[in-house]
Amino acid sequence: CRCKAKSVVRAAPRQPYGRHASSRLFCQREVQLVYRVTDKLTGLTRDVIYSVDRVDAERIHLNQGGRVEAKDGSLLSLQTPIAGEMDACSPPTCWIKPGQTPGAAWPGTYRKCEASSCSGDFDFELRVVSDDLTPTSFGDLTLQRVDSKVRVQRAGRYTSFFRLDSRAWWSPDLRRIVRFESEVVPLSTGVTRSQESVELVEIRRD
């Protein structure tokens, strides 16, 4: 019996991971992306995994179709949110828009009907605030920081309101968010304050 070796890219300083390598990696089956979700109010952490199941001409299918991305990293479908508020509160096309430059901004509205803390009617604006070469756990990467201000109205027995402030660091080379920070700010009763971070910590390939 021969055992298949597993390769792991862990969060290690100065580890080069450029566009050529990343485009090969993320377009292959059996790649696993490990994100760490941290509740910044309690310090509790948990790891979640996105597994690449299938890749076709235009799409990357993860977690048995629970998440589907375009080859440029934009979100096409999210049926199974697992990465905290980054997933649960995500706009339909994700928190970023590939190909934007600092100063670019785009507004939008969307509705989430799922029974979760991020259900309701969302009114948002996203803005690219920086585009810098940044030391990361996977080497020096160009990261775009995209800030958002989201106002949410949740209907129910009583109507409640909250604001979601977030910052997403997007790597054009890796074609995905490498870090996401969010805070839920209650604007009425019936909403619980939260602070959270989500960070890419490991890349595995069987």
Side-chain angles (χ1 to χ4, degrees):
C1 175
R2 297 183 61 189
C3 296
K4 183 169 59 174
K6 177 184 291 186
S7 61
V8 177
V9 179
R10 296 188 184 277
R14 305 291 180 199
Q15 182 162 9
Y17 219 61
R19 178 177 297 124
H20 183 60
S22 66
S23 66
R24 292 200 314 265
L25 183 64
F26 293 121
C27 292
Q28 294 181 12
R29 292 181 54 198
E30 300 180 345
V31 169
Q32 294 183 330
L33 310 169
V34 183
Y35 280 84
R36 181 157 298 150
V37 182
T38 302
D39 184 326
K40 298 177 74 172
L41 298 181
T42 66
L44 295 176
T45 66
R46 60 186 175 89
D47 288 354
V48 299
I49 298 175
Y50 292 109
S51 298
V52 178
D53 302 315
R54 180 163 61 90
V55 178
D56 55 33
E58 300 295 334
R59 301 183 177 193
I60 301 173
H61 303 258
L62 303 101
N63 292 14
Q64 298 180 334
R67 182 183 182 93
V68 181
E69 300 174 353
K71 290 289 184 67
D72 66 1
S74 56
L75 182 63
L76 299 178
S77 173
L78 179 59
Q79 302 298 323
T80 310
I82 60 173
E85 291 164 359
M86 182 176 77
D87 277 1
C89 302
S90 175
T93 56
C94 197
W95 299 99
I96 53 85
K97 185 182 290 187
Q100 302 302 302
T101 56
W106 56 99
T109 60
Y110 59 101
R111 171 174 289 180
K112 284 186 170 289
C113 301
E114 301 89 347
S116 73
S117 60
C118 272
S119 62
D121 293 307
F122 290 66
D123 189 342
F124 72 90
E125 180 180 85
L126 303 177
R127 181 179 298 274
V128 181
V129 299
S130 64
D131 187 352
D132 299 315
L133 186 65
T134 306
T136 77
S137 298
F138 298 96
D140 292 344
L141 295 172
T142 297
L143 297 183
Q144 285 190 344
R145 177 178 151 184
V146 181
D147 288 5
S148 73
K149 298 289 186 182
V150 185
R151 184 178 174 86
V152 187
Q153 176 178 326
R154 183 188 298 154
R157 184 177 180 183
Y158 302 101
T159 300
S160 58
F161 301 88
F162 65 91
R163 192 180 76 239
L164 176 70
D165 298 336
S166 75
R167 294 159 298 283
W169 285 265
W170 160 260
S171 167
D173 288 344
L174 299 183
R175 299 178 189 174
R176 63 188 52 257
I177 292 172
V178 299
R179 183 171 177 83
F180 183 86
E181 296 180 350
S182 60
E183 180 177 9
V184 170
V185 180
L187 300 177
S188 69
T189 58
V191 179
T192 302
R193 177 173 173 261
S194 67
Q195 283 184 288
E196 195 175 78
S197 68
V198 183
E199 186 170 7
L200 179 65
V201 296
E202 189 175 327
I203 302 169
R204 303 172 183 165
R205 182 172 54 185
D206 289 339

